[in-house]
Amino acid sequence: MTEITAPAMPVRRPDLSQARLKRRYAAERRFRIYGIVAVLVAVGMLGALLVTIVGKGYSAFYRTDIRLAVTLDPAVIDPAGTKDPDAIMQADYTKLLRDGLRQLFPDVTSREDKRDLNSLISSGADTQIRKMVQADPSLIGQTVTVSVPIGPDFDMLAKGFISRDLPESARRVSDKQIGWYDQLRQQDRVEHGFNWSFFTAGDSREPELAGVAGSVVGTLLTMLVTLSLAFPLAVATAVYLEEFAPKNRWTDLIEVNINNLAAVPSIVFGLLGLAVYIGFFGLPRSAPLVGGMVLSLMTLPIIIIATRAALKAVPPSIREGAYGIGASPLQVVTHHVVPLAMPGILTGTIIGMAHALGETAPLLMIGMVAFIVGVPHGVTDAATVLPVQIYLWADSPERGFVEKTSAAIMVLLVFLVLMNGVAVYLRRRFERRW
Amino acid sequence: MTTAILAALLLLTVIGFTLGKNRSIALAGGNWKKLHSLPSYYGAYVALWCGLPALILFGLWIALEPRILETIIVRDLPVAMIESGQAQLGLIFNDIRNIAVYGVGDRTIDPAVVAAVDHYKSLKTISFAALAVAVLALATLGLGWSQRRVVPDMRARNRVERIVMVLLIACSTLSVLTTVGIVMSLFFESLRFFHAVPFWDFLFGLQWSPQTAMRADQVGSSGAFGAVPLFAGTLLITIIAMAVAVPVGLLVAVYMSDYASRRGRAFIKPVLEILAGIPTVVYGFFAALTMAPFIREVGEAVGLSVASESALAAGLVMGIMIVPFVSSLSDDVMNAVPQSLRDGSAALGATKNETIRQVVIPAALPGIAGGVLLAVSRAIGETMIVVMAAGLSANLTANPLQAVTTVTVQIATLLVGDQEFDSPKTLAAFALGLVLFFVTLSLNLVALHVVRKYRERYD
């Protein structure tokens, strides 16, 4: 018989697990809060970014004009009375505008005051009158009422970016100038209108005249070159690697290469473009052609990787079915696999293009930072693109360019959102379960 | 002009396609069984023979023409000009080309140059005519030759497919060629740089001031090319960026994968995608215009002196930019950790955060490390934010409140604007590019290796 010892009575000890549990739950809550804070930081930064951009940029979409009565004096425009287009083109319209303005302020006489008064009109306003007269020479001799852009400092004043509360020495417009401006306003000669010229004009040294038309067209041309080079090359590469390539060292090398190219810093592609396209082949600097070629090298790996994923997603049964009715390997791919993978391929292409659209650094290398006023007409013309335009404007010291920069960023972001929207739509629309 | 040639070539190709197709149909005489392939393959066969060789000739011609023209023009220049050195000759030739294209403008030019311009123009006309004749003749020849080879027995499909396959292989080789191109161009330009500046001085020198003197008596242009301040600046900004991106990114990933509701996830993920899709120039503008003044105000409020362009501003904004990379890669690897591990941990009574900290993250660590490495290489290669927000002065400092400069910024600033291509100043950019390429390449290789190796473990 074994003696059964009675089990020892458990000694009742204070329940530490309760306290520990509490600590553990507190840690759990804290951890969760950290997560939420991290998400809020990311979302908040995005919010701050967008709020800053919109807050700084919305004012660029309207423009301040002053309405003036301008006498198109034949003695100034066309003294010989020939109505010769050359004479009309070269006439001094700035003088006419200034005379028109002077009439409103007859008591301004001193040289200095006149100069200050003249700064009420944008230095590019004469172009507007010139175009008007060129379009209709019969206006010469008449007095017309025109709205011309106001000078940059007054535009800022009208939009409230120059505070009247500052001491006179600390702002760019004097008390006297503000007086004139207020006088014009009382006479109801100051107008705010939608700034169409922001979308129709090229770049300018004057912030109130600068527009994005040149860089938008440059962007479109560059993207066109990028797309027409990158898309066929990428799809061909992906199709070969995914469908035909034997598994050997060479194809391994190509694969590793593509993955690495996707991660090479973009500025290195700019160096390549500079050394090879411009230095070696002598292609023109600043041209959308070279920009597009550089960007297409950057976009290639993105599209290739997306295309391979899309091809991989096509089930083997499709291929086997096609082989079964006697198609050749190339026919299987071109008639069946690629069409079925097309939505995925397009999605990847759009994402790659969106990436290229926002790229700046490599384009700086190939000279797309030149100051270009005109709108480019072909891929070999000197041009600039939106991100570079943003960079250039962000660097400008004039106060007026801050709002232009933000507005150009908004235009760029709208493009990006549209492209990504199309990509998401394609993904949703053609998502298919096999 | 060249567009006209291409259009003519395209037209010939289309004609070739139709001719080939029609010929095969005619030869079959209504009995399809006589043909080896579908008629369109005969058409494609003729079209390929017509278009492809001509296109290759066209490409070669366009690529080589400037070189050849340059040699001819330069050879015929007056002796005095030829002896003025290689760099000078390049400039003269550029000038000649520009005058030929855009006209003289209102400046007076050397009569020898005028003669050269005329010579250039006439050579250009000859070259264009020769190109047009050669390309179109080759296309017609190819068309005629292949057209006659269209017979019902010819295995047109197999031939066309073989050509297409060669084209596919050629396309996929392009990626390798790009890499070779990058390495070669960087390498050769760097070699020229290292002729002027010793390699070790570049790699370990403490003084960076790339303004080289144009004249001997110029002051303030020492032309020192010690890259250590740039490496240090890059490192500083990268560290700041990673100090923001890694904790935020990881926590976001953890929150998304284990805590967030479906709806929360559906909101957070697109927001992060937007963050990743914003162009860097926008971040740069934000950093320079909002973040830098903000940091300066805060710094002044607590009595610190902050430079108007500080490493901190650029680093913080860059960190925000990199958050999506860290979070999406970590999210991927954490999702790849099998649910059974989580369930096991929960069955032992662990809370969620204990499970994450002690099971999920250790299991996913190699993948996370790989993702972080990829993010680091991205931070090192980022240009626009630092160009716009971190300044240009090459300070050798560890103080994040001062302005620093980075490798990418220097590459950009050295090459923006018109300079000749053989001063050490511009060549230094290529040497920096070489360093940048190899550093990021090795980081990527390690990262890809780690990520891939790790992924295989649970599969």
Side-chain angles (χ1 to χ4, degrees):
Chain A
M1 277 284 230
T2 42
E3 243 176 87
I4 301 167
T5 49
M9 275 294 286
V11 185
R12 189 139 182 94
R13 277 178 299 196
D15 188 3
L16 290 173
S17 73
Q18 275 303 326
R20 213 171 61 211
L21 203 58
K22 214 168 163 182
R23 268 208 317 279
R24 286 171 63 201
Y25 280 152
E28 174 74 21
R29 271 195 304 276
R30 273 204 309 279
F31 195 68
R32 204 188 166 105
I33 289 170
Y34 293 153
I36 294 176
V37 167
V39 171
L40 286 182
V41 166
V43 175
M45 270 298 173
L46 180 67
L49 185 83
L50 294 180
V51 167
T52 320
I53 302 289
V54 174
K56 287 207 161 98
Y58 76 94
S59 57
F61 291 114
Y62 64 86
R63 191 175 80 170
T64 318
D65 285 348
I66 25 181
R67 211 169 53 239
L68 288 176
V70 177
T71 310
L72 298 173
D73 186 357
V76 174
I77 300 175
D78 189 14
T82 53
K83 307 235 157 162
D84 173 22
D86 275 354
I88 290 177
M89 204 179 86
Q90 283 163 10
D92 184 5
Y93 295 95
T94 312
K95 182 181 177 335
L96 296 176
L97 277 166
R98 288 179 176 172
D99 289 346
L101 187 62
R102 199 80 47 77
Q103 276 170 12
L104 297 173
F105 300 100
D107 47 335
V108 173
T109 46
S110 83
R111 243 181 110 84
E112 218 165 288
D113 282 355
K114 277 185 188 167
R115 208 187 51 219
D116 283 350
L117 184 63
N118 288 341
S119 72
L120 264 166
I121 307 175
S122 160
S123 59
D126 56 326
T127 322
Q128 194 186 330
I129 312 285
R130 171 181 302 129
K131 281 192 179 144
M132 204 170 80
V133 176
Q134 277 175 330
D136 184 9
S138 66
L139 286 174
I140 297 173
Q142 296 178 22
T143 300
V144 291
T145 308
V146 288
S147 291
V148 292
I150 203 167
D153 295 336
F154 294 92
D155 192 34
M156 290 294 104
L157 180 75
K159 288 171 178 171
F161 292 123
I162 293 182
S163 166
R164 291 162 186 255
D165 303 332
L166 284 174
E168 188 173 3
S169 57
R171 53 179 142 81
R172 286 179 60 93
V173 285
S174 65
D175 285 342
K176 205 183 259 176
Q177 285 175 310
I178 291 184
W180 291 328
Y181 170 76
D182 287 342
Q183 204 175 325
L184 283 174
R185 226 166 50 166
Q186 273 157 22
Q187 294 170 6
D188 203 21
R189 288 186 178 276
V190 177
E191 297 175 334
H192 295 292
F194 187 76
N195 191 358
W196 287 110
S197 69
F198 182 67
F199 296 101
T200 55
D203 196 7
S204 167
R205 296 265 186 238
E206 310 297 326
E208 75 277 15
L209 301 174
V212 290
S215 48
V216 166
V217 174
T219 304
L220 289 178
L221 288 172
T222 309
M223 289 295 116
L224 200 71
V225 175
T226 307
L227 184 67
S228 53
L229 285 175
F231 182 72
L233 282 175
V235 173
T237 306
V239 164
Y240 176 71
L241 288 180
E242 197 58 42
E243 302 286 332
F244 300 113
K247 199 83 185 120
N248 58 25
R249 297 187 79 131
W250 178 243
T251 48
D252 257 6
L253 179 72
I254 294 178
E255 267 203 68
V256 172
N257 230 303
I258 288 168
N259 283 330
N260 275 324
L261 274 186
V264 167
S266 58
I267 196 163
V268 172
F269 286 102
L271 286 173
L272 171 78
L274 181 64
V276 174
Y277 298 150
I278 294 180
F280 187 74
F281 289 122
L283 293 170
R285 278 174 82 96
S286 309
L289 177 67
V290 182
M293 284 163 80
V294 168
L295 291 182
S296 67
L297 290 183
M298 279 183 45
T299 332
L300 260 176
I302 303 177
I303 307 183
I304 291 175
I305 291 168
T307 305
R308 292 191 66 175
L311 292 174
K312 223 177 258 171
V314 176
S317 57
I318 302 276
R319 296 184 179 83
E320 280 151 19
Y323 282 128
I325 55 166
S328 74
L330 197 69
Q331 282 171 329
V332 171
V333 169
T334 52
H335 296 180
H336 301 272
V337 180
V338 169
L340 284 172
M342 209 30 120
I345 297 176
L346 288 181
T347 313
T349 307
I350 294 171
I351 289 170
M353 293 303 288
H355 195 83
L357 178 64
E359 200 53 69
T360 321
L363 300 180
L364 302 184
M365 301 288 91
I366 54 159
M368 287 190 106
V369 279
F371 172 72
I372 290 152
V373 177
V375 175
H377 296 294
V379 290
T380 50
D381 283 0
T384 188
V385 296
L386 261 178
V388 177
Q389 184 79 80
I390 290 166
Y391 171 66
L392 285 174
W393 281 352
D395 248 14
S396 298
E398 285 95 343
R399 177 66 184 76
F401 274 119
V402 172
E403 57 168 24
K404 294 283 169 182
T405 313
S406 306
I409 287 177
M410 281 192 258
V411 173
L412 181 63
L413 289 183
V414 166
F415 269 115
L416 281 174
V417 168
L418 283 180
M419 285 172 83
N420 283 314
V422 172
V424 169
Y425 172 78
L426 277 175
R427 203 168 4 191
R428 291 261 165 83
R429 174 85 173 67
F430 294 99
E431 207 165 50
R432 142 184 357 221
R433 287 173 194 280
W434 300 96
Chain B
M1 295 243 280
T2 45
T3 333
I5 298 183
L6 281 180
L9 188 59
L10 187 69
L11 186 71
L12 266 179
T13 313
V14 172
I15 292 173
F17 180 81
T18 331
L19 285 180
K21 190 175 167 183
N22 289 346
R23 183 176 153 97
S24 71
I25 293 172
L27 285 177
N31 182 4
W32 297 111
K33 283 183 193 155
K34 270 194 190 166
L35 289 178
H36 170 267
S37 312
L38 294 171
S40 61
Y41 279 103
Y42 292 95
Y45 176 75
V46 177
L48 279 173
W49 268 107
C50 168
L52 213 53
L55 202 64
I56 292 172
L57 176 71
F58 181 83
L60 281 178
W61 196 295
I62 292 290
L64 295 179
E65 189 200 70
R67 294 272 123 184
I68 295 170
L69 281 187
E70 181 170 356
T71 358
I72 296 175
I73 293 286
V74 166
R75 198 192 57 205
D76 292 352
L77 281 174
V79 185
M81 277 190 187
I82 295 178
E83 280 167 356
S84 61
Q86 200 56 45
Q88 201 60 34
L89 270 182
L91 286 181
I92 294 173
F93 178 71
N94 256 334
D95 205 29
I96 291 171
R97 199 164 51 183
N98 285 337
I99 294 172
V101 178
Y102 301 110
V104 187
D106 44 1
R107 59 203 170 113
T108 47
I109 44 173
D110 198 321
V113 174
V114 176
V117 169
D118 288 339
H119 192 180
Y120 179 83
K121 277 185 182 162
S122 69
L123 278 179
K124 193 93 180 150
T125 323
I126 294 171
S127 159
F128 177 74
L131 172 66
V133 170
V135 165
L136 296 182
L138 189 60
T140 324
L141 221 69
L143 198 160
W145 182 76
S146 57
Q147 163 79 356
R148 250 182 302 132
R149 292 191 36 158
V150 171
V151 286
D153 275 347
M154 191 186 67
R155 297 154 66 84
R157 181 176 56 75
N158 306 46
R159 284 166 193 242
V160 168
E161 287 188 350
R162 210 177 312 144
I163 297 175
V164 171
M165 202 56 76
V166 170
L167 286 180
L168 289 181
I169 294 174
C171 285
S172 59
T173 317
L174 193 84
S175 75
V176 180
L177 285 182
T178 307
T179 314
V180 172
I182 290 176
V183 174
M184 298 284 262
S185 58
L186 293 180
F187 186 70
F188 283 118
E189 304 286 323
S190 304
L191 268 190
R192 286 166 67 192
F193 172 69
F194 291 129
H195 277 306
V197 178
F199 181 68
W200 299 112
D201 288 4
F202 169 73
L203 219 52
F204 296 111
L206 299 181
Q207 184 70 32
W208 179 264
S209 129
Q211 290 304 330
T212 44
M214 293 287 201
R215 306 184 310 271
D217 57 334
Q218 212 168 338
V219 280
S221 302
S222 48
F225 292 98
V228 169
L230 310 189
F231 300 148
T234 310
L235 195 66
L236 178 63
I237 289 192
T238 308
I239 288 174
I240 298 172
M242 297 322 288
V244 175
V246 171
V248 174
L250 266 182
L251 283 171
V252 168
V254 165
Y255 188 79
M256 273 202 317
S257 67
D258 283 76
Y259 284 103
S261 60
R262 279 178 70 95
R263 207 192 269 167
R265 202 183 149 87
F267 170 71
I268 301 166
K269 241 189 141 69
V271 166
L272 288 176
E273 273 171 21
I274 294 175
L275 270 182
I278 288 179
T280 52
V281 66
V282 177
Y283 282 110
F285 180 68
F286 180 70
L289 213 78
T290 311
M291 198 54 115
F294 175 72
I295 287 174
R296 198 174 59 214
E297 273 167 32
V298 171
E300 273 163 10
V302 298
L304 290 169
S305 79
V306 183
S308 62
E309 294 180 313
S310 61
L312 190 59
L316 283 180
V317 173
M318 196 194 278
I320 294 297
M321 182 195 92
I322 290 172
V323 164
F325 295 94
V326 177
S327 71
S328 78
L329 274 168
S330 329
D331 190 38
D332 280 355
V333 285
M334 285 200 274
N335 274 334
V337 174
Q339 186 63 32
S340 57
L341 290 188
R342 288 191 176 85
D343 292 347
S345 168
L348 289 175
T351 61
K352 248 187 184 175
N353 96 75
E354 283 159 355
T355 304
I356 290 163
R357 278 195 309 206
Q358 287 165 15
V359 176
V360 178
I361 290 187
L365 203 57
I368 293 173
V372 169
L373 281 184
L374 280 180
V376 168
S377 91
R378 207 166 161 99
I380 292 177
E382 171 48 40
T383 315
M384 294 319 291
I385 296 178
V386 272
V387 166
M388 293 167 83
L392 300 174
S393 48
N395 293 327
L396 186 53
T397 174
N399 179 359
L401 302 177
Q402 277 195 335
V404 296
T405 190
T406 67
V407 174
T408 49
V409 171
Q410 287 305 316
I411 295 175
T413 46
L414 289 174
L415 287 178
V416 168
D418 277 320
Q419 289 110 353
E420 68 273 49
F421 267 114
D422 49 2
S423 77
K425 189 183 157 197
T426 43
L427 291 177
F430 288 93
L432 288 176
L434 193 66
V435 173
L436 181 67
F437 180 75
F438 274 112
V439 169
T440 50
L441 186 72
S442 36
L443 273 175
N444 290 328
L445 279 176
V446 172
L448 285 176
H449 180 73
V450 168
V451 171
R452 188 179 288 180
K453 187 166 180 186
Y454 168 70
R455 283 224 175 111
E456 280 164 5
R457 209 183 294 165
Y458 291 120
D459 277 348

